[in-house]
Amino acid sequence: MPHAQDAAQETAQDTAQGILFRSLADPTRRALFERLCRDGEQTVGALTAQAGVSQPAVSKHLSVLKQAGLVRDRQAGRQTHYSADATALAPLADWTRRMTSFWEARFDALEDLLGRMDQ
């Protein structure tokens, strides 16, 4: 049964990565996340002032980012404050590292092959 558990774990990991990649694929969401990373915690109103889209649109984007684990919210009175959670980027960093290793190995093999062909 280990194969079924491995497959279920991979599916859950793929789903989490998919949610993360889809959430960051949108330029407005990326900009909101970058702003929260750079400038720290902010309210929806402060984010809307510089987002170039309506407050409902910003709220919807923040909801997607929150579902992906990229932002956290905190209620203070009538205001909701959002902050970035950069630890949620770990699956993206892991995937990038794996792909970098894969392509470096492929290029090394190609370089070896070309070197042997020249001899």
Side-chain angles (χ1 to χ4, degrees), residues 33 37 69-72 83-91:
F33 180 70
C37 286
L70 291 163
V71 299
R72 289 176 278 190
S83 59
D85 184 358
T87 61
L89 293 173

Side-chain angles (χ1 to χ4, degrees), residues 11 19 22 51 73-74 105:
T11 300
I19 291 170
R22 276 192 301 280
D73 61 350
R74 174 180 68 81

Side-chain angles (χ1 to χ4, degrees), residues 5 9 12 14 24 35 55 58 60 65-66 80 95 105:
Q5 288 177 335
Q9 189 174 15
D14 290 345
L24 290 173
R35 185 155 172 226
Q55 186 273 322
V58 168
K60 189 173 179 179
L65 291 169
K66 184 178 172 186
T80 303
W95 181 84

Side-chain angles (χ1 to χ4, degrees), residues 33-78:
F33 180 70
E34 288 172 11
R35 185 155 172 226
L36 289 169
C37 286
R38 186 182 54 245
D39 300 339
E41 183 179 271
Q42 296 188 36
T43 63
V44 174
L47 290 166
T48 300
Q50 296 186 7
V53 294
S54 67
Q55 186 273 322
V58 168
S59 292
K60 189 173 179 179
H61 286 301
L62 288 169
S63 175
V64 173
L65 291 169
K66 184 178 172 186
Q67 183 184 7
L70 291 163
V71 299
R72 289 176 278 190
D73 61 350
R74 174 180 68 81
Q75 198 71 33
R78 297 174 62 178

